[in-house]
Amino acid sequence: MSLNKAMIIGNLGRDPEMRYTPNGQSVTQFTVAVNRNFKGSDGEWQEETEWFRVVAWGQTGERAAENLRKGVKVYVEGRLQTRNWEDQTGNKRYTTELVADRVVSLERRQRDEGDPGFTPPARKPVETPAGSASGGSGGSAGGRDGDQLDQSDLDDLPF
């Protein structure tokens, strides 16, 4: 038996970028910063940030590109994958990515507060299992009625 499963919670480091493969499949890439606090050998608290490259295919990626923006807190679940290629100078290069099966925004919907002339961009909470067809559960997150992420969605996280 083997298992390749990764789960992270962090903040988007940049807006998602969606592209299409030559055969028309959509693929979205973004980075997630995950912070870790620990006591160093000197007894002082330190913080380190680990950056993850995330790749989301199909509907999962499309929803992420449509609804997520830099700075948003997200939960990402998927598998780790290492790719290699040869660069222009002939050097072998490697990158490890988290291939997302599920992306969930952990942000609450923005309220109409502050500057009355400012309309924040609409951000729908995102939860899209990989491989789900459009129109599967009526477009609602997690099969619930409506499109809002509530506290019960956070309670369903597997940790």
Side-chain angles (χ1 to χ4, degrees):
M1 180 183 342
S2 60
L3 176 67
N4 181 354
K5 185 79 155 179
M7 297 177 282
I8 60 171
I9 293 178
N11 296 81
L12 261 66
R14 59 185 166 99
D15 287 350
E17 296 176 12
M18 186 170 68
R19 297 191 173 110
Y20 292 90
T21 63
N23 69 358
Q25 177 73 26
S26 62
V27 59
T28 301
Q29 296 179 326
F30 54 94
T31 57
V32 176
V34 177
N35 297 321
R36 178 175 86 94
N37 295 311
F38 62 96
K39 275 193 179 180
S41 58
D42 60 359
E44 296 293 318
W45 282 101
Q46 298 178 13
E47 179 180 71
E48 75 179 15
T49 302
E50 186 73 34
W51 287 91
F52 291 86
R53 297 171 78 101
V54 179
V55 176
W57 292 89
Q59 187 180 8
T60 302
E62 290 171 10
R63 297 268 324 255
E66 179 181 318
N67 297 301
L68 300 178
R69 296 290 170 256
K70 179 180 177 178
V72 169
K73 186 171 287 297
V74 294
Y75 165 76
V76 181
E77 183 178 313
R79 63 183 170 84
L80 294 176
Q81 172 180 288
T82 301
R83 292 186 298 120
N84 62 59
W85 70 96
E86 204 169 284
D87 68 14
Q88 295 173 344
T89 60
N91 295 323
K92 198 152 192 157
R93 307 278 302 204
Y94 297 89
T95 187
T96 300
E97 304 164 324
L98 195 161
V99 179
D101 294 328
R102 185 173 174 205
V103 177
V104 180
S105 172
L106 300 179
E107 300 282 327
R108 293 190 180 270
R109 284 183 171 254
Q110 292 185 1
R111 297 181 193 176
D112 295 331
E113 295 176 357
D115 181 3
F118 173 72
T119 305
R123 294 187 185 159
K124 297 177 186 173
V126 178
E127 179 177 350
T128 308
S132 64
S134 60
S137 62
S140 64
R144 291 182 174 85
D145 291 332
D147 199 24
Q148 292 187 355
L149 181 69
D150 60 23
Q151 186 61 39
S152 64
D153 289 319
L154 297 177
D155 294 338
D156 291 341
L157 293 177
F159 47 86

